[in-house]
């Protein structure tokens, strides 16, 4: 499955962005879709995940209450609504597909190309 992430940009602190990640074909109900982020020179950090079939969601503590992951099964697209953005949210955001909601990148086997999010103070 090819994943195409989009929606990044430059926003002021306190603002919002919505990222999208479209899959090239149907995502099966057993899949887990996730968002990670990465700064240059840093490890890829888990942000959020969603079980495709039942919609159960998981979040990193750093984004809980501010970010919301959701999916549109008809469009094979996963979203990340980011509110109350902070400068420390600045990173390249990647979507990924796996089969378990792991908070580490290794179990995920399909990755999007990344979309840059920059939050100015």
């Amino acid at each position: 499955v090819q994943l195409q992430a989009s929606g990044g940009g430059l926003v002021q602190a306190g603002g919002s962005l919505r990222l999208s990640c479209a899959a090239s074909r149907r995502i099966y109900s057993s899949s887990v879709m996730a968002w990670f982020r990465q700064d240059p020179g840093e490890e890829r950090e888990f942000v959020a995940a969603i079980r495709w079939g039942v919609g159960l969601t998981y979040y990193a503590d750093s984004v809980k209450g501010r970010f919301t992951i959701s999916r549109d099964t008809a469009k094979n697209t996963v979203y990340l609504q980011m509110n109350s953005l902070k400068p420390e949210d600045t990173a390249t955001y990647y979507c990924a597909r796996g089969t378990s909601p792991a908070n580490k990148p290794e179990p995920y086997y399909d990755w999007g190309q990344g979309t840059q999010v920059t939050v100015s103070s």
Side-chain angles (χ1 to χ4, degrees):
V1 175
Q2 292 184 336
L3 303 175
Q4 181 72 39
S6 61
L10 173 64
V11 64
Q12 289 188 332
S16 299
L17 281 174
R18 188 177 82 152
L19 306 183
S20 300
C21 175
S24 60
R25 61 166 177 79
R26 178 190 169 202
I27 299 174
Y28 292 104
S29 60
S30 57
S31 295
V32 170
M33 298 297 292
W35 288 96
F36 284 76
R37 63 188 183 187
Q38 188 172 25
D39 278 328
E42 301 291 330
E43 292 186 353
R44 198 161 288 192
E45 176 191 20
F46 172 77
V47 176
I50 186 167
R51 289 190 180 273
W52 195 257
V54 296
L56 191 60
T57 58
Y58 308 82
Y59 295 96
D61 288 342
S62 58
V63 305
K64 203 171 291 184
R66 300 188 298 124
F67 290 11
T68 302
I69 189 170
S70 63
R71 84 247 193 262
D72 185 328
T73 56
K75 295 182 179 180
N76 296 310
T77 300
V78 62
Y79 303 98
L80 185 68
Q81 177 67 43
M82 305 185 293
N83 298 329
S84 302
L85 282 162
K86 305 175 182 179
E88 51 263 44
D89 294 319
T90 295
T92 301
Y93 283 70
Y94 297 89
C95 57
R97 185 176 76 102
T99 56
S100 65
N103 62 1
K104 295 184 182 299
E106 287 80 9
Y108 295 89
Y109 41 80
D110 290 325
W111 289 87
Q113 84 286 5
T115 184
Q116 177 67 36
V117 171
T118 303
V119 184
S120 63
S121 57

